[in-house]
């Protein structure tokens, strides 16, 4: 009672002395309230949009390409080849690789004799790249990996091997036609209205051609659902003999790596992966159904 008067009077005096500050605080309070309310509304709207987008993705297969099922575990076709045929192919492959790497091995043996001759060094690096290209898919992949390891190889070797990450060797259109017709079981012209003979790109495993499907072939094959326009396509074709070569190359590659280190650097290479890991990574790239499945998933999600 006696304390209430000064307590309330001092409060009143404080309010009178800070009325401008009180008004500013009052406005800030309502600003925060309105801003928070607006944020809640926008968040709710964004959530509804995401839910609508998710529903549209679930309904999209009704009007888009038929879904490619997840690929089964890859079984290398070479494992089904009779043992005698596999043995003969392995011997033939070993003789071919020997003929490919023999010139490079001879040139490497001359390294201590020629010294630092820049012209000879350029020729030697060019020979290195062409050797990996001629050796085939598996060796090109190893060359690409080495081109990203400056801790293992000299800078000029890294620069030379980096060209293996660009367009790879191109196989003939006759080989492309043969592969496509085997896949579809009919002449190429019955499936495609247009098919560019020159590939738009080529890598170590396959090359890509632009093409246009025949509408009747699309409808017959059930490639797309009615009402869609899905005729312009990219056709990815494996290089000839890639399947068989990758089945036997891993043993040759690891034997070569163990000996190449002492020639190029005077010490052995220590790889961060084993032969089986490398083999699994290689065969995963050969199974193009995985690429089709991943592209489909990307299309559906984005």
């Amino acid at each position: 009672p006696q304390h209430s008067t000064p307590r309330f009077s001092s409060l009143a005096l404080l309010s009178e002395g800070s009325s401008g500050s009180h008004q500013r605080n009052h406005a800030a309070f309502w600003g925060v309230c309105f801003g928070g309310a607006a944020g809640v509304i926008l968040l709710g709207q964004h959530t509804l949009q995401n839910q609508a987008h998710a529903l549209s993705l679930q309904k999209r297969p009704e009007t888009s390409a038929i879904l490619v099922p997840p690929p089964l575990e890859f079984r290398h076709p070479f494992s089904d080849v009779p043992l005698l045929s596999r043995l003969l192919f392995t011997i033939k492959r070993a003789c071919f690789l020997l003929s490919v790497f023999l010139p490079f091995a001879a040139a490497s043996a001359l390294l201590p004799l020629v010294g630092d001759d820049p012209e000879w060094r350029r020729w030697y690096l060019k020979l290195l790249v062409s050797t990996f290209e001629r050796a085939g898919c598996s060796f090109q992949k190893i060359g690409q990996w080495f081109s990203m390891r400056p801790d293992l190889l000299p800078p000029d070797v890294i620069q030379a091997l980096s060209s293996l990450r660009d367009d790879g060797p191109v196989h003939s259109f006759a080989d492309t036609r043969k592969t496509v017709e085997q896949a579809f079981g009919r002449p190429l012209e019955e499936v495609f209205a247009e098919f560019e003979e020159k590939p738009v790109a080529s890598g170590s495993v396959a090359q890509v051609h632009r093409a246009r499907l025949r509408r009747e072939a699309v409808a017959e094959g059930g490639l797309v659902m009615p009402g869609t326009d899905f005729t312009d396509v990219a056709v990815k074709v494996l290089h000839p003999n890639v399947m068989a070569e990758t089945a036997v190359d891993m043993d040759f590659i690891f034997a070569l790596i163990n000996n190449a280190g002492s020639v190029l650097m005077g010490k052995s290479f220590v790889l961060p992966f084993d032969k089986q890991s490398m083999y699994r990574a290689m065969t995963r790239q050969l199974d193009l159904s995985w690429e089709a499945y991943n592209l489909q998933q990307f299309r559906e999600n984005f």
Side-chain angles (χ1 to χ4, degrees):
Q2 292 183 353
H3 297 281
S4 61
T5 301
R7 184 177 299 172
F8 280 105
S9 61
S10 63
L11 181 60
L13 290 174
L14 179 61
S15 297
E16 289 179 0
S18 59
S19 60
S21 175
H22 179 70
Q23 292 176 356
R24 287 193 298 272
N25 292 337
H26 187 69
F29 171 77
W30 285 109
V32 170
C33 290
F34 283 119
V40 171
I41 294 173
L42 291 175
L43 180 61
Q45 184 180 7
H46 182 68
T47 302
L48 291 175
Q49 289 176 347
N50 285 342
Q51 292 175 349
H53 180 63
L55 290 175
S56 68
L57 290 179
Q58 294 176 4
K59 296 179 179 180
R60 186 179 296 177
E62 298 179 359
T63 57
S64 64
I66 295 177
L67 295 179
V68 178
L72 301 175
E73 183 179 355
F74 180 75
R75 177 177 172 81
H76 203 293
F78 196 71
S79 59
D80 297 327
V81 176
L83 179 59
L84 181 60
S85 298
R86 280 186 285 170
L87 179 60
L88 292 176
F89 180 84
T90 302
I91 296 173
K92 181 181 177 181
R93 181 67 177 161
C95 293
F96 171 77
L97 292 176
L98 182 62
S99 67
V100 169
F101 279 94
L102 190 59
F104 175 71
S108 299
L110 296 175
L111 279 175
L113 302 178
V114 297
D116 297 328
D117 185 354
E119 290 294 329
W120 193 91
R121 183 70 175 179
R122 280 192 291 270
W123 174 84
Y124 175 77
L125 294 177
K126 185 177 180 180
L127 177 63
L128 169 66
V129 174
S130 64
T131 299
F132 274 85
E133 288 178 342
R134 289 185 59 206
C137 165
S138 304
F139 290 88
Q140 291 170 32
K141 286 294 182 183
I142 289 292
Q144 292 171 4
W145 181 83
F146 277 130
S147 70
M148 296 181 288
R149 296 302 305 266
D151 56 320
L152 296 178
L153 296 171
D156 57 347
V157 176
I158 294 294
Q159 183 177 359
L161 291 177
S162 63
S163 64
L164 294 173
R165 301 201 303 269
D166 300 330
D167 283 350
V170 176
H171 65 252
S172 68
F173 182 68
D175 289 323
T176 292
R177 173 184 287 275
K178 180 180 178 181
T179 301
V180 171
E181 292 182 348
Q182 286 178 346
F184 285 97
R186 63 181 68 183
L188 182 144
E189 289 76 12
E190 292 185 9
V191 181
F192 298 96
E194 299 177 16
F195 199 105
E196 294 186 5
E197 295 189 9
K198 183 179 180 181
V200 294
S202 180
S204 57
V205 173
Q207 62 189 41
V208 180
H209 296 260
R210 285 194 181 97
R212 176 167 295 175
L213 289 164
R214 290 189 178 277
R215 291 188 178 275
E216 55 270 26
V218 170
E220 179 184 349
L223 298 177
V224 295
M225 298 301 290
T228 61
D229 185 10
F230 184 68
T231 56
D232 292 333
V233 294
V235 183
K236 190 169 186 178
V237 184
L238 291 175
H239 292 310
N241 299 322
V242 162
M243 282 288 188
E245 290 174 2
T246 54
V248 300
D249 280 353
M250 288 300 108
D251 291 330
F252 297 140
I253 285 175
F254 276 78
L256 177 64
I257 289 175
N258 291 335
N259 293 284
S262 59
V263 174
L264 295 177
M265 298 183 58
K267 59 183 180 181
S268 299
F269 288 131
V270 178
L271 297 178
F273 48 80
D274 57 21
K275 184 169 62 176
Q276 288 301 320
S277 299
M278 181 66 183
Y279 178 77
R280 285 193 297 269
M282 285 293 303
T283 54
R284 185 70 175 266
Q285 295 189 38
L286 298 176
D287 187 1
L288 298 184
S289 59
W290 271 108
E291 186 165 351
Y293 176 76
N294 291 333
L295 287 173
Q296 168 196 269
Q297 293 300 104
F298 182 86
R299 178 179 182 273
E300 292 300 315
N301 292 330
F302 299 99

